[in-house]
Amino acid sequence: MTQILDKPVRAAGIVGEAERTARRKTLLHWIAVHSLGVAAALFFVLPFVFVVLTSLMSDQQALTRDLVPQTWEWDNYSRVLDTPGFVTWWRNTLLYAGLGTVLTVVSSIPVAYALAKFRFRGQRLALMLVISMMMLPPQVVIIPMYLFWAKQLDLAGTLWPLIIPMAFGDAFSIFLLRQFLLTIPNEYLDAAKVDGCSELRTLLKVVLPMARPGIAAVALFQFFYAWNDYFGPQIYASENPAAWTLSYGLESFKGAHHTDWNLTMAATVLVMAPVILVFFFAQKAFVEGVTLTGVKG
């Protein structure tokens, strides 16, 4: 009789031990995953924290091994902004990145819509041409392009050779938008056409509201590219300091203040801050747009 009663007790003990083991494994898995996440976050955040802390140090402390400012020199940022040409570089960068992003998005949407929703002869060839343009390094065509813009149109020393081509679409933006538009069911477009909408009205009233995440992703990619572009301004605007952007002007600023690391770091923070803020407020749409572009091929 006692043996019969002991069997349920032992079974309950085994079950309880198994549950405790499962909970321990779950806890250890949670700790491992979050430890890796924290380590990865620190790997990316600590350099930025170092830059910010150095930008708030005095001229003497910036050359030492101290990691925390002894006195918080907030006026370093005003000293950077008062540097001749810095505000001009900021304005030029906003013009280049802002206008270039608008032109790229506006010109790429119709091409991506045609490649995603139209059926025409040579469609696959057109798509292959777009993909091949993505693989073509800009350095390959820089010499003929420079001769065209500088010698034929006399636009050397300005940013217009970089801005105007964006009005004719961008291969990466077209491909990314095309992949996103493929995720929109054709039934919505057919219903709009049954209601009497033209192709243009369908694009504006039906497709664009549904494609906002993809458009946001393309806009952010283009804005980040233009904001950080160093190669283009170096080629076309290097001879005219009034047309420099922040990425190119920062190199000149660093050369002029090569021993003032606090001012150099303050200028770096001012260059990075707009990009970080834009991504912080638009990261949800950006991640959603990038994720959904791979749903269909």
Side-chain angles (χ1 to χ4, degrees):
M1 188 69 175
T2 304
Q3 294 178 352
I4 296 176
L5 294 175
D6 287 343
K7 290 181 178 180
V9 174
R10 288 197 298 270
I14 293 173
V15 172
E17 184 64 24
E19 290 179 351
R20 286 192 294 271
T21 302
R23 286 197 295 269
R24 283 196 297 269
K25 290 182 178 180
T26 303
L27 178 61
L28 291 175
H29 180 267
W30 184 90
I31 293 174
V33 171
H34 285 74
S35 298
L36 291 176
V38 171
L42 291 176
F43 179 78
F44 289 102
V45 171
L46 286 180
F48 179 73
V49 173
F50 172 77
V51 170
V52 174
L53 292 178
T54 306
S55 70
L56 295 173
M57 294 180 181
S58 62
D59 296 340
Q60 294 75 21
Q61 188 185 1
L63 298 176
T64 66
R65 296 183 178 181
D66 295 340
L67 297 178
V68 179
Q70 298 175 358
T71 58
W72 300 84
E73 303 290 340
W74 294 99
D75 62 331
N76 287 340
Y77 291 96
S78 61
R79 291 170 61 186
V80 172
L81 293 175
D82 291 338
T83 301
F86 195 88
V87 176
T88 302
W89 304 340
W90 191 290
R91 183 172 60 250
N92 293 337
T93 306
L94 285 177
L95 174 66
Y96 177 28
L99 183 58
T101 299
V102 172
L103 291 176
T104 298
V105 172
V106 171
S107 60
S108 299
I109 288 176
V111 182
Y113 177 64
L115 291 176
K117 298 302 181 182
F118 290 179
R119 296 295 177 265
F120 55 90
R121 182 177 299 178
Q123 181 186 25
R124 294 182 63 86
L125 177 61
L127 180 60
M128 291 302 297
L129 289 175
V130 171
I131 296 176
S132 64
M133 291 301 297
M134 292 171 54
M135 302 177 182
L136 187 65
Q139 291 81 3
V140 174
V141 297
I142 190 62
I143 294 178
M145 292 298 296
Y146 178 81
L147 293 176
F148 172 75
W149 291 107
K151 303 302 181 182
Q152 300 297 325
L153 300 182
D154 195 24
L155 290 177
T158 69
L159 294 174
W160 292 113
L162 300 173
I163 297 175
I164 294 175
M166 296 182 184
F168 301 94
D170 173 71
F172 176 76
S173 301
I174 292 171
F175 179 77
L176 192 66
L177 280 172
R178 184 254 181 189
Q179 294 300 107
F180 186 88
L181 293 179
L182 288 175
T183 64
I184 299 178
N186 293 329
E187 288 76 9
Y188 291 102
L189 281 66
D190 296 337
K193 294 175 183 177
V194 169
D195 291 339
C197 291
S198 61
E199 291 290 352
L200 179 60
R201 188 174 179 84
T202 301
L203 173 62
L204 296 177
K205 298 297 183 180
V206 179
V207 176
L208 292 188
M210 300 179 67
R212 287 177 181 173
I215 296 174
V218 168
L220 286 175
F221 271 124
Q222 184 60 39
F223 182 84
F224 295 160
Y225 165 78
W227 188 273
N228 298 317
D229 186 20
Y230 179 86
F231 179 72
Q234 181 188 31
I235 296 298
Y236 292 105
S238 59
E239 62 187 55
N240 181 16
W244 288 0
T245 59
L246 285 172
S247 58
Y248 189 74
L250 184 62
E251 183 68 23
S252 174
F253 183 91
K254 184 175 68 174
H257 301 82
H258 60 279
T259 59
D260 300 326
W261 284 106
N262 54 339
L263 297 182
T264 301
M265 296 302 179
T268 303
V269 172
L270 291 175
V271 172
M272 293 189 301
V275 176
I276 296 175
L277 291 176
V278 169
F279 180 78
F280 179 79
F281 288 106
Q283 60 178 324
K284 182 178 180 180
F286 177 77
V287 173
E288 183 180 357
V290 173
T291 302
L292 293 180
T293 54
V295 176
K296 288 188 177 182

